[in-house]
Amino acid sequence: MTIVLSSPLRSEEAAPVAGNRPMTWTGFDGTVWRLTRPGSPNPRMLPGVQGLHMPRMDVYTSSSPGVPGVIITGYELPPRPVYWPLRFANRSIDEWEDEHAGFFDSFHPVLEGVWTVGDGVDARTLPLTGSFDGSHSFELDPFVTGKAVIGVQLLAPRPLWRGRTIRRQFKAPEPSPFFPGPPFTISSGASYENATIPNPGQEPSYVTWEIDGPHPAGVKVGVGDALVEVPFEIPIGRRLVVNTDPSEQYARIGDLESVDDKLVLTNATDAARDLGFQIFAPIPARGDVVLTIVTEGSGVIAATHTPLYWRAF
């Protein structure tokens, strides 16, 4: 895809973005809009897209008298501004009005929609909210021309692009055979003892744990020395879900129910108070990480996380 960083477009005859990388917008209302690829309906993305590449990084430093230069102590990523130059053009005024209205009704200043770039396993997403200042003006009456170029200002409160969610499932070690030697079968799937999970992202990310009973009180799961200890029993047929992400931490326990051949949580209740105070640690970026699972139970335990990236590709 050709990307040109520029000031907001004004020409109604600007050429569409070239290339084969798809982009879609899923509004807060659930509507889906395809923004690129030849023949796609309105709107069409034009050159000048902002928000695909590196985010702004605020670097922190310290200095000491008599020591040349500074010491870099860390950095943070502020919210990411996003700009879309879009063209609306239709064969009739009614089409223009319907698609223009439907598209802009999909934005909200607080509720997030999702910008998706790429498809399949390589797709990355960025949640966005509207960031309108009321300054847009139409150079020509769109109800006369049936077309317009409109620059859309958006904001990513959390500036990192999200990759495909990674899930790893672990189970109790197979018991050793009473009589050593073959033949015996080693079942598929990793055990508690060799639990690992990759993080191909460029920033640390936090795990969501799914702990299916049976497990007695005292099961421990975590990354490194930061272990989540469950002080209560998880019976068979029950699941505890612990999301360790600081922006949305929660703990819920409920029943397991099979839906479309998948086990899902139902009748969930809050378990945060029963879980008590815990210290959570993220999965470090760029590599495979050893997970800690300690339990005398035999239920399946799964770890899930979403890799975080600086760019859309």
Side-chain angles (χ1 to χ4, degrees), residues 88-150:
F88 292 81
N90 258 313
R91 294 184 298 274
S92 73
I93 297 301
D94 288 342
E95 286 183 353
W96 186 94
E97 184 174 9
D98 289 345
E99 293 187 347
H100 171 271
F103 180 72
F104 281 97
D105 284 348
S106 71
F107 295 98
H108 193 278
V110 176
L111 304 178
E112 294 177 338
V114 177
W115 183 16
T116 302
V117 174
D119 54 14
V121 297
D122 296 324
R124 295 182 185 177
T125 61
L126 185 67
L128 300 173
T129 60
S131 182
F132 303 105
D133 61 9
S135 63
H136 177 75
S137 62
F138 291 98
E139 295 181 356
L140 298 173
D141 185 351
F143 289 94
V144 174
T145 63
K147 59 184 179 180
V149 172
I150 301 175

Side-chain angles (χ1 to χ4, degrees), residues 2-313:
T2 302
I3 304 169
V4 180
L5 301 180
S6 66
S7 59
L9 293 177
R10 296 297 181 186
S11 169
E12 294 186 1
E13 302 303 322
V17 169
N20 294 318
R21 187 172 296 274
M23 292 186 188
T24 59
W25 164 249
T26 303
F28 85 96
D29 58 357
T31 58
V32 179
W33 303 82
R34 190 171 64 176
L35 305 176
T36 58
R37 287 188 170 175
S40 63
N42 286 320
R44 292 291 307 279
M45 190 75 81
L46 301 175
V49 182
Q50 296 177 5
L52 295 170
H53 212 255
M54 299 292 289
R56 174 180 155 189
M57 297 182 178
D58 292 338
V59 177
Y60 296 113
T61 63
S62 65
S63 60
S64 255
V67 178
V70 297
I71 298 172
I72 297 177
T73 58
Y75 69 96
E76 70 174 9
L77 304 175
R80 181 196 294 261
V82 170
Y83 176 73
W84 293 348
L86 298 171
R87 183 177 68 181
F88 292 81
N90 258 313
R91 294 184 298 274
S92 73
I93 297 301
D94 288 342
E95 286 183 353
W96 186 94
E97 184 174 9
D98 289 345
E99 293 187 347
H100 171 271
F103 180 72
F104 281 97
D105 284 348
S106 71
F107 295 98
H108 193 278
V110 176
L111 304 178
E112 294 177 338
V114 177
W115 183 16
T116 302
V117 174
D119 54 14
V121 297
D122 296 324
R124 295 182 185 177
T125 61
L126 185 67
L128 300 173
T129 60
S131 182
F132 303 105
D133 61 9
S135 63
H136 177 75
S137 62
F138 291 98
E139 295 181 356
L140 298 173
D141 185 351
F143 289 94
V144 174
T145 63
K147 59 184 179 180
V149 172
I150 301 175
V152 179
Q153 299 284 351
L154 302 165
L155 182 70
R158 301 182 68 185
L160 295 169
W161 285 87
R162 302 178 183 184
R164 186 184 188 187
T165 296
I166 295 173
R167 188 176 191 271
R168 293 290 184 269
Q169 185 170 289
F170 313 103
K171 59 184 181 179
E174 296 289 336
S176 300
F178 185 78
F179 297 102
F184 55 87
T185 302
I186 300 176
S187 61
S188 61
S191 73
Y192 303 155
E193 296 175 342
N194 56 13
T196 63
I197 195 167
N199 181 9
Q202 293 158 321
E203 292 284 334
S205 61
Y206 283 84
V207 177
T208 295
W209 293 96
E210 297 174 359
I211 307 173
D212 296 351
H215 289 281
V219 57
K220 297 178 183 179
V221 295
V223 179
D225 295 330
L227 301 182
V228 179
E229 182 171 0
V230 182
F232 50 83
E233 178 188 5
I234 306 172
I236 190 168
R238 300 274 284 174
R239 169 179 287 177
L240 174 67
V241 178
V242 182
N243 185 337
T244 67
D245 189 328
S247 68
E248 51 180 346
Q249 280 178 6
Y250 62 79
R252 297 172 187 152
I253 191 168
D255 299 324
L256 281 176
E257 183 177 329
S258 179
V259 177
D260 296 330
D261 296 324
K262 293 182 179 180
L263 291 176
V264 298
L265 188 69
T266 62
N267 303 318
T269 58
D270 182 68
R273 178 172 295 182
D274 294 334
L275 198 62
F277 176 76
Q278 305 283 344
I279 298 176
F280 304 130
I283 302 174
R286 308 189 191 199
D288 285 348
V289 178
V290 175
L291 301 175
T292 300
I293 299 176
V294 180
T295 179
E296 296 180 1
S298 60
V300 169
I301 296 178
T304 302
H305 80 102
T306 301
L308 302 173
Y309 297 91
W310 293 332
R311 305 179 308 278
F313 40 78

